[in-house]
Each structure stands twice: as C-alpha cells, then as structure tokens.
Amino acid sequence: MGQAIIELEALTKTYEDVKAVNQLTLNIYEGEIFGLLGPNGSGKSTTILMMLGLTEPTSGSVNVCGINSTREPLAVKRRVGYLPDDVGFYDHMTGLENLLFTASLNAISRDEGIFRAKQLLKRVGLADAADKKAGTYSRGMRQRLGLADVLIKNPEIIILDEPTLGIDPEGVRDLLHLIRQLNREEKITVLLSSHHLHQVQQICDRVGLFVNGRLIAVGNTDELAAQLFEGEPVLVKAEVDDISPALIDKLSELPGAVRVEQNTDELSVYCQHDLTTQIAKTIIEHGASLRHISKKDYGLDDIYHRYFEGRETDEEA
Amino acid sequence: MKKPDFKMKKFNFKWFNKWRDKEQKGMSRPSTPFRAIVEKELADYITSWRIIILLAIIGLTCLGSLYTAMMSIRDAVSSDEANEAFDQAFVFLKLFTVTDGTLPSFMTFVGFLGPLLGIALGFDAINSERNKGTLSRMMSQPIPRDFVINAKFTAAIILIAALFLALGLVVAGLGLLMIGIPPTFEEFMRLIFFLLVSIVYVAFWLNLGILFSVRFRQPATSALASIAVWLFFSVFYSMIVNLFARAIAPSTTQNVQELLNYQSLILNLSRLSPNYLFNESTATLLTPSVRNLGPLTMDQIEGAIASPLPLGQSLLLIWPQLTGLIAATMVCFAISYLYFMRQEIRSRS
C-alpha cells in the first residue's frame, strides 16, 4: 500500500442539530479504489464536499495530497477531479464544447484543450457523439461525459459521487470497467461513493461503511464481515412449516446461538459457530417439518441488510 | 503627395502584423478562467430567445419613439416661441423627450423596458445553473467561488452597456439624418450621461434579479418576485405615496414652512423608489431647462434668470439621485454576493 493521499482527521460537520459527519478519521492510499458505502443521507456527499473544500468542517481537518482542503481549496481542486452526483451539462452546447469550457476554467489553452477533449471523448466512447448537443445525451452518456470532464485536468485523484446511479446494467459495467482501467493505467486514485454493494464489491480495493455520519468499518469485504459480525459470524437459514414460538425459544436456547429471527416460514439463526446440524435436529425433534436448511456466508448484501435496511424499516415504523 | 501615402500604408501594415502576432500568441496562451465564463455567458445571452425577443422589442419601440419624435418635433420647438432662443440650442435632445401622445418618448421607453431587460438577464443567473447541476461541476474546478457571480454580472453589464450605447447612438444618428441639425458638444455629452444613467438603472434591476436568483431555488419564483418589485415601484408606489400624502395633507392655512416640510416629506418618500430617481435624473439631463427638483418659494426664484443649466450644474443637481441609484445597485449586488458565498453548493439542490 502506498502513501496516504487523503487524510481525514476527527472530521465533524454539524448542520443545525444534526451531525452529518461525526468524528471521521480515515486514510485513503495512493493508487487504490476506495468505496464509500452507505445509504442516502449517511454523510457520504458531505464528506466529499469537505474534501474539496466546498464545505467547511465544523471541526477536524482534511488533507488531500498533503494540502489542507479548507484553507487552500483551489490547490486541491487543481489536483482532484470531482464528478457530482447527477452531473449536469449545458444542454445547448455540444459534448466537446462542454469539455472545452471546463478546460478553459482550468486555464488550459484552447489548442491543448481540444487535443485533450478529443482524446478523452474517444476514451470514454463518445467520439461519435462529440458534436451532438449535450441535451440529447442519455443518462449513461452524460455520466461518461462527466468522467471525461473530470479527467481533462489530469487529476491525481478522482472523486465520483454515485457514478452508477440510474444507468442500465450494461452502462454500469462499461463505466466500472473504465474506472478500473483509469486506476490501473493512469495510476489515478479513485474514491467513489455508492449505495450499490455489488458494484462496489466488483471494483473497490477497500470499502468504508457509513451509517449516520459515522464510519463503522473499513477494509475489504472479508475484513468488513469479520469486523461487523464479531460474535455472530455464522448465519443458518431454515425453511420450516408450522413455526411455533416454542420452537423459536428452543432454538435460541441452543449453546452458541445468539438470536433467532422469523420471516413467515423462514428462520434465521445467528450463531457463534456452525450449528447447522444441531438446528436441523432441534427442528425435527420438535415435530416441525424442515424443508430446507443452509449455512450462509456473509457478502456485502448481508452487511447492507443488517446495517441499512433494518435501520430504514425501523425509521418507517 | 505619394511619399507620405506610402509611409502611411507601411505603418498600417506593420501595425496590423503586430496585432495579428499578438492575437496568435493569445490563442496558445491559456485564457483566464474569468474571461472564459464571461465569454460563455455573453454567448448564451445573445443566442437565447428570451433576450433576442426583448432586444427586438426594445429596438422597435425605440425606432417607434424616434418616429413620433420626428413627427412632433416641429410643433414642440415652435409652440414654445417665448423660449425659442434657448430651446433651439437643444433641439437635438428633444428627439429623446418629445412625443405627440401616440407613443411614449425614448426616455420613457428606456425607463419602462430597461428594468424588464435587467430582470430578464438576471433572474435565473444562479438558480438555473444550480437546477441543471452545472453549478456544482463548475465549483469543483479550481476557480474562486465569486468568479461565477462576478462573471455573470460582468457579462450582463457588457451586454446592457453595448445595447444602450448602440441604441442611443443609432437613434441619435437617424435623428441627425432626418432633422439635419447636428448636436452641440454639450448635447452629445448629455446624451452620453443619459445613457450611462440608464445603464446604472438597468444594472440595479439586473442585480435585484441576481439577488432573487441566489435566494430562490426556482427560476419562476425569482422572475415573479423581481417583476412584483418592478410593478410595485412603477405602478403602485406612487399611488401609495399619493394616498399617504392626502391623508397627512396640512390645511391650507398652515404657514409656508409647514407646507414646505410637507412637500419635501412627500418628495423624499417618492425618492425611495428607484424609478423616481431615474426619472428625475433623466429629465434633468435631457431637459436643460429643468433648474430644480423640489418646491421653490417665490423668494427663491425672484430675480433668477430663466435660462437652461450648463451640464455641470445639471449633474450637480442630480448628484444625490445618481448616488442613490448607484448605492441601491451596489447594495443588491453585495447582498447577493454574500448570500452566494455562504451558500452550500450540492448537486441539484
């Protein structure tokens, strides 16, 4: 692992009474693809805005490429490309003109700008659409144009806020492939935020999990599971007819079982170690008919389910 | 004869070459971001239907007003034979002020349509960028935040200045062709000052539009708010002041001092409206015979020679009005600037 290129220290941002980001300490290393994973409103975008110096932190510090983002946002913005969530372009200008405008904002000369813009449009697969108005672009095309727009200043880091939102699966695959390629070939550090686990799982070297402004776990998928499910690393699922409360009580009393959840005729037993056979035995001895039983490995799906979806249903109720 | 001619040509050629080289160097030199935004904004303005339609309306009405002025200028000059001696000195300015009643004069048109132009240029300056999601993209580029609002203001001011100077000079030129009386230097300077005051006045409405575009998220809201303010000052404010004046009117038996106080209170109330300030200023600039803007007692005009004021004195007379207009313009801009700098820019919100 290289050097830390983004350093967040005890970063806090308070909006009125709500802590959008709470005591966040995180290092992102040179050359990696880091995924910020979390539901909407968990503080991902706010963290990104603070990295770019677009919002001042209430307390704590952000250093990007060794530069304090709050004090010298321009120096940071020269090195960092940022693709906002649902990026917009000037509809009446062509894709190429939009890129040239960005180039001129970065004080790139016109000739150089045209050269780079054409190269990038080719790279993101928009060479044919370069002279079409940006208003006619599809969502996926706009996102790819956004990527070209971010790259025109030759950034060291690119920050992508929900880059895959609202694109069809094929488009997502292309975009992720492109991001991976940029990371490998140009050695660009990538930070992307998403609430789509599968996509994050596909390309990220490391993932940070955000809930309510707190970073609750960092690492690759395996490390995350280990951190998050400490104490109850195994989940056994069983499909059973005629579930009675007595059966659930019995299952919870098994040594090593932490808790039992019922979902119509499916039982989920969280345990400290593999209890599959004991569970099957208990169910059959109880007289209920066991139709299916399986041990589950944790993927990001489960992480998501446990930390986000559960929370959202709580809020709705 | 031939030699100096040749020299002249050579000089021109050299100068042209120098200029061309400079331009070519300019192409490869990085253009500054501020200039890039101003250029883009200007290009957007002059290609947008909204502005094209407004420009067409303003252009046509100004030509219309020139036509009516032309029709009635003969009467206007000869009807006031008692003042003929000095009126003739300012025939040219009458092109902008007289009317036969069918169409308002150039001065009135500018006072009426100018605010609309200012509002049209400003009302969606910031919020449309925000709604399109282009503002956050622009903010992630290495430019200071105030570049955006300053550049938009600059672009609009350039457009307004170019439009009014061109329009004023076109009307003056056409008038010159038709009536055949060239303006004196003073008349020309009065015309230029009138155009400058118009630009400041339109800039006030432009800044009001920008202020609302920073404040309100929806362009429709900010357009309506700006137009409401404009309607209030151009139609309702004078009515309200009149009502108020009637309510507190002193009885006729009051002494002079009380009556004067009353008059100046009403006048000062009226002057809170930018429209009133603009009308006073332009009337003074274009009609040199206006010698005073407030009430005068018989004592004060006793012994005064009824002659037109020189330009310097006219300017002195409207100095407070000009200061007020410029101050109102700057206050609007300052508030929108502060507001914009403090806002958090998120994508599309």
Side-chain angles (χ1 to χ4, degrees):
Chain A
M1 219 170 267
Q3 260 191 314
I5 195 161
I6 301 180
E7 300 155 276
L8 310 180
E9 218 177 294
L11 197 62
T12 303
K13 174 75 188 177
T14 318
Y15 288 106
E16 275 139 34
D17 300 332
V18 187
K19 279 198 168 161
V21 177
N22 194 354
Q23 292 292 325
L24 173 64
T25 301
L26 175 67
N27 282 341
I28 292 166
Y29 300 99
E30 213 172 324
E32 72 175 341
I33 303 185
F34 190 90
L36 286 178
L37 190 63
N40 301 329
S42 57
K44 291 172 297 181
S45 296
T46 311
T47 309
I48 291 175
L49 290 185
M50 286 190 282
M51 285 178 196
L52 290 160
L54 290 176
T55 294
E56 279 186 26
T58 313
S59 66
S61 72
V62 197
N63 282 302
V64 177
C65 305
I67 304 162
N68 187 312
S69 301
T70 318
R71 298 231 184 84
E72 293 173 74
L74 291 193
V76 169
K77 286 193 265 187
R78 235 167 260 140
R79 292 172 172 81
V80 181
Y82 167 54
L83 180 65
D85 137 45
D86 195 10
V87 61
F89 290 95
Y90 297 107
D91 288 347
H92 60 277
M93 285 157 63
T94 66
L96 182 65
E97 283 167 351
N98 268 295
L99 291 190
L100 289 179
F101 181 56
T102 307
S104 63
L105 292 185
N106 283 286
I108 297 169
S109 75
R110 198 170 164 78
D111 298 342
E112 171 79 14
I114 291 175
F115 175 72
R116 276 200 221 170
K118 287 200 166 150
Q119 217 176 20
L120 285 169
L121 282 168
K122 208 163 152 192
R123 174 137 213 193
V124 298
L126 288 174
D128 295 337
D131 294 321
K132 281 190 193 148
K133 302 250 183 226
T136 64
Y137 280 24
S138 71
R139 175 109 202 199
M141 286 162 87
R142 262 197 309 175
Q143 216 65 17
R144 275 184 285 159
L145 183 62
L147 203 55
D149 186 67
V150 162
L151 292 170
I152 202 154
K153 59 174 133 171
N154 268 337
E156 291 168 36
I157 306 172
I158 54 178
I159 297 179
L160 313 170
D161 199 353
E162 304 275 6
T164 55
L165 202 67
I167 311 180
D168 57 54
E170 194 64 15
V172 169
R173 223 192 49 164
D174 289 350
L175 193 71
L176 292 181
H177 181 71
L178 204 59
I179 294 171
R180 172 115 262 181
Q181 219 178 17
L182 286 170
N183 173 252
R184 291 285 136 85
E185 289 168 14
E186 322 270 328
K187 307 277 176 253
I188 299 176
T189 310
V190 181
L191 172 70
L192 62 89
S193 85
S194 178
H195 55 244
H196 272 278
L197 326 132
H198 296 290
Q199 296 160 5
V200 169
Q201 208 167 9
Q202 270 171 44
I203 66 164
C204 288
D205 300 318
R206 286 197 310 148
V207 177
L209 218 64
F210 261 73
V211 177
N212 284 337
R214 277 181 177 282
L215 184 73
I216 54 171
V218 193
N220 58 33
T221 324
D222 295 339
E223 289 168 9
L224 275 187
Q227 283 178 43
L228 288 172
F229 303 111
E230 209 178 343
E232 43 184 78
V234 184
L235 169 64
V236 179
K237 288 199 168 186
E239 276 179 38
V240 184
D241 288 336
D242 315 318
I243 299 172
S244 61
L247 173 62
I248 293 176
D249 286 346
K250 246 187 192 164
L251 286 175
S252 338
E253 279 160 18
L254 281 175
V258 181
R259 61 202 172 87
V260 183
E261 277 174 12
Q262 181 189 358
N263 184 12
T264 57
D265 59 351
E266 191 186 65
L267 287 173
S268 307
V269 186
Y270 296 88
C271 11
Q272 285 165 344
H273 46 91
D274 191 355
L275 284 178
T276 318
T277 42
Q278 286 94 320
I279 289 168
K281 205 172 139 200
T282 315
I283 292 170
I284 291 163
E285 277 174 1
H286 191 76
S289 49
L290 177 66
R291 283 193 280 128
H292 176 92
I293 189 162
S294 63
K295 190 185 91 172
K296 211 163 171 343
D297 291 322
Y298 285 114
L300 275 171
D301 255 343
D302 306 277
I303 298 171
Y304 195 81
H305 179 71
R306 291 254 327 254
Y307 276 86
F308 308 145
E309 286 182 353
R311 190 185 62 95
E312 273 164 28
T313 47
D314 284 352
E315 276 175 6
E316 278 161 26
Chain B
M1 270 313 274
K2 263 187 182 175
K3 223 181 171 184
D5 203 2
F6 176 68
K7 253 188 181 171
M8 189 78 165
K9 263 184 186 166
K10 202 175 172 188
F11 172 76
N12 272 347
F13 193 59
K14 254 187 182 169
W15 175 81
F16 177 74
N17 267 353
K18 233 181 180 175
W19 174 79
R20 200 185 53 190
D21 288 352
K22 234 183 186 174
E23 276 299 290
Q24 275 174 347
K25 261 182 219 158
M27 288 297 276
S28 57
R29 200 181 48 206
S31 64
T32 67
F34 187 78
R35 208 176 138 177
I37 308 177
V38 173
E39 278 168 6
K40 185 200 145 284
E41 287 302 320
L42 260 180
D44 283 358
Y45 280 142
I46 55 180
T47 51
S48 80
W49 277 110
R50 184 198 327 159
I51 303 301
I52 291 174
I53 291 171
L54 254 177
L55 293 192
I57 292 176
I58 293 176
L60 284 177
T61 48
C62 285
L63 291 182
S65 73
L66 177 68
Y67 178 76
T68 55
M70 221 75 90
M71 292 290 104
S72 50
I73 199 161
R74 187 183 303 272
D75 304 332
V77 174
S78 55
S79 71
D80 223 356
E81 266 175 276
N83 295 336
E84 203 170 346
F86 19 88
D87 254 349
Q88 258 174 1
F90 296 105
V91 170
F92 197 75
L93 287 180
K94 286 221 182 300
L95 277 178
F96 297 90
T97 53
V98 299
T99 167
D100 62 356
T102 47
L103 268 178
S105 65
F106 183 86
M107 187 177 93
T108 321
F109 263 129
V110 168
F112 184 73
L113 290 175
L116 266 189
L117 177 72
I119 291 170
L121 288 173
F123 81 92
D124 67 346
I126 302 295
N127 51 14
S128 74
E129 295 260 0
R130 194 189 285 275
N131 291 340
K132 274 189 288 184
T134 44
L135 189 60
S136 60
R137 194 164 60 88
M138 218 197 283
M139 285 328 324
S140 67
Q141 307 306 331
I143 50 167
R145 185 186 279 212
D146 59 348
F147 265 29
V148 177
I149 192 162
N150 292 351
K152 285 192 177 249
F153 175 74
T154 312
I157 277 292
I158 289 175
L159 182 75
I160 291 168
L163 173 74
F164 277 96
L165 287 177
L167 212 58
L169 293 179
V170 161
V171 169
L174 284 178
L176 185 62
L177 278 182
M178 308 261 188
I179 62 173
I181 304 172
T184 61
F185 180 70
E186 182 173 343
E187 279 180 303
F188 180 72
M189 286 318 289
R190 278 179 182 272
L191 175 61
I192 296 296
F193 272 107
F194 161 69
L195 294 175
L196 288 182
V197 172
S198 308
I199 293 168
V200 171
Y201 180 58
V202 176
F204 166 75
W205 292 100
L206 165 73
N207 279 328
L208 192 78
I210 293 180
L211 173 61
F212 285 140
S213 86
V214 175
R215 177 67 191 78
F216 298 116
R217 291 286 149 95
Q218 296 300 324
T221 317
S222 72
L224 277 179
S226 321
I227 288 180
V229 173
W230 172 63
L231 270 182
F232 176 76
F233 279 124
S234 60
V235 179
F236 298 114
Y237 190 71
S238 59
M239 290 186 201
I240 294 172
V241 170
N242 278 342
L243 276 180
F244 181 71
R246 222 170 288 162
I248 62 157
S251 67
T252 43
T253 53
Q254 294 287 345
N255 64 32
V256 176
Q257 194 54 48
E258 296 244 339
L259 282 173
L260 267 183
N261 283 348
Y262 165 71
Q263 279 299 337
S264 60
L265 172 69
I266 300 303
L267 200 59
N268 284 338
L269 276 181
S270 304
R271 281 178 180 158
L272 287 181
S273 150
N275 296 39
Y276 197 83
L277 293 181
F278 176 69
N279 289 337
E280 278 190 332
S281 317
T282 50
T284 311
L285 278 175
L286 290 182
T287 326
S289 50
V290 171
R291 296 172 55 87
N292 195 309
L293 293 169
L296 280 179
T297 59
M298 288 305 280
D299 282 354
Q300 282 170 306
I301 53 172
E302 205 180 70
I305 303 161
S307 63
L309 286 180
L311 175 60
Q313 292 301 310
S314 284
L315 279 180
L316 205 60
L317 188 59
I318 57 163
W319 203 249
Q321 275 80 354
L322 286 183
T323 316
L325 268 182
I326 295 174
T329 309
M330 304 236 287
V331 164
C332 273
F333 187 72
I335 297 175
S336 27
Y337 184 90
L338 277 181
Y339 213 88
F340 182 66
M341 294 304 275
R342 279 154 184 250
Q343 262 177 352
E344 183 169 76
I345 290 153
R346 285 175 170 263
S347 49
R348 300 201 191 224
S349 61

